[in-house]
Amino acid sequence: MAEKKTTTKKVAAPKAAAEPKKAPVKKAAAPKKAASIVLNAENAGFKAGDVYQALAAAGKALTVKEIAKAAKISEEETLLGMGWLFKEGKIAEAEAKITLA
């Protein structure tokens, strides 16, 4: 006579009361750190040179962001150099873009 193999079926334990799913918590973005700019006549003059060279190389009017990218300096440094150049009458503003005067 052949013996029958018996198998036992495991029953899953009952789940504890389902906990409500929590919405993911979004963290606030960290504020950007301000670039540290040395405010003196020598630094302003160097930044003015960077701005002037970027405008001369482009040969067209650029926005502040475009000037900063072309000169490889921050937008704050770009504004510092532009102030110097505006005072000297070397640049002019036209349609929200800056061009050599």
Side-chain angles (χ1 to χ4, degrees):
M1 195 159 114
E3 291 185 27
K4 287 186 176 180
K5 289 187 177 179
T6 59
T7 58
T8 57
K9 196 174 194 181
K10 292 186 180 182
V11 178
K15 291 184 179 180
E19 293 182 26
K21 291 185 179 180
K22 295 180 182 176
V25 178
K26 293 182 181 180
K27 294 183 180 179
K32 290 183 180 180
K33 292 184 179 179
S36 60
I37 301 174
V38 179
L39 293 176
N40 60 34
E42 183 179 21
N43 191 38
F46 284 129
K47 299 309 171 191
D50 293 341
V51 170
Y52 191 91
Q53 292 299 320
L55 286 168
K60 63 179 184 173
L62 300 173
T63 64
V64 173
K65 194 174 221 176
E66 292 169 334
I67 295 169
K69 186 176 179 180
K72 298 179 183 165
I73 58 177
S74 70
E75 288 184 35
E76 291 83 6
E77 292 170 322
T78 302
L79 294 171
L80 178 64
M82 284 173 49
W84 180 291
L85 295 171
F86 271 125
K87 186 171 183 336
E88 290 185 347
K90 303 277 180 156
I91 59 175
E93 187 267 334
E95 298 177 22
K97 292 192 175 189
I98 309 301
T99 186
L100 295 176

